[in-house]
Amino acid sequence: MMAIATNISAIDPIAATGKEPIIELYMHDILGGSNPTARPVTGLLGNIYSGQVPFAMPIGFNIPGGSIPIPNANGANPTVNGVTGVPLGTGLSGTSFAPNNNNNNQNNAQLTLGPDGLGLGFGTITVIDDVLTIQPELGSQIVGKAQGVYVASSADGSRQMMVFSALFEGGEYGDSLNFYGLYKIGSTMSRLSVIGGTGKFKYAKGFGELRPLIPPGQVATDGAETLLRITVHLNY
């Protein structure tokens, strides 16, 4: 209980300033590697991630010598990060390391399309059990977990619909905040609605500002990490 009590009382809102409460958290979303916190469970990219397509490899997507690539169910060959083995377009970082074809994808990435014209990642559901810390470093003090899902809800791969609860440590996670909204990949900031909570946040409302950061790297992970700074503005 000490962790969350210390951090929330330090910025305790109303007692010190009379203004709305502000809470700052750092969320670590990690795909792949030895200690993942997120897993795609549906959709084509989810199948690739879990190795359910021909020649899928834990690291990279290498075709055996003398063989040819077999297209996936949508008739297109996926692009996979050769370092982490995570299909590009999966997760909160979207695709990367490719030019933009003048579409609405805000992360300047080449979108791989299926024959129906929709992005291969469209409809992918990812379940998360992400760590929440008080500092950007992955090894800093943990204050809780973010548990829920995000869904690739735009055909161009630029947005993920997020629904999750921030569960704060202390006894049996008695305090939590619930979030809902659209995360814009590649944007400097996205806003999610606070839709209530439990414990001391029972009647909370407001919004959270999500800003993507570059992981500091003091504690390395062999997965693909997206680091988000969440600034929560509350009122009751």
Side-chain angles (χ1 to χ4, degrees), residues 89-104:
T90 308
L92 297 176
S93 294
T95 53
S96 56
F97 315 115
N100 187 8
N101 261 2
N102 297 321
N103 57 26
N104 292 325

Side-chain angles (χ1 to χ4, degrees), residues 169-216:
E169 283 188 344
E172 306 211 348
Y173 288 134
D175 300 317
S176 69
L177 279 171
N178 301 323
F179 294 87
Y180 171 81
L182 288 176
Y183 175 76
K184 302 174 184 177
I185 295 175
S187 176
T188 56
M189 183 182 70
S190 302
R191 287 189 174 94
L192 304 184
S193 299
V194 173
I195 52 175
T198 60
K200 65 171 60 76
F201 301 114
K202 182 177 180 180
Y203 298 109
K205 57 184 178 179
F207 63 94
E209 297 174 341
L210 276 62
R211 294 178 172 86
L213 303 177
I214 298 175

Side-chain angles (χ1 to χ4, degrees), residues 119-133:
L120 294 183
F122 181 53
T124 300
I125 298 175
T126 302
V127 180
I128 64 171
D129 185 19
D130 292 345
V131 173
L132 298 173
T133 62

Side-chain angles (χ1 to χ4, degrees), residues 97-122:
F97 315 115
N100 187 8
N101 261 2
N102 297 321
N103 57 26
N104 292 325
N105 192 328
Q106 299 181 34
N107 62 336
N108 296 322
Q110 177 71 45
L111 187 67
T112 304
L113 301 177
D116 57 2
L118 299 176
L120 294 183
F122 181 53

Side-chain angles (χ1 to χ4, degrees), residues 149-165:
V149 299
Y150 54 80
V151 183
S153 55
S154 62
D156 65 358
S158 65
R159 290 175 175 81
Q160 296 272 0
M161 183 189 72
M162 302 187 73
V163 183
F164 67 91
S165 294

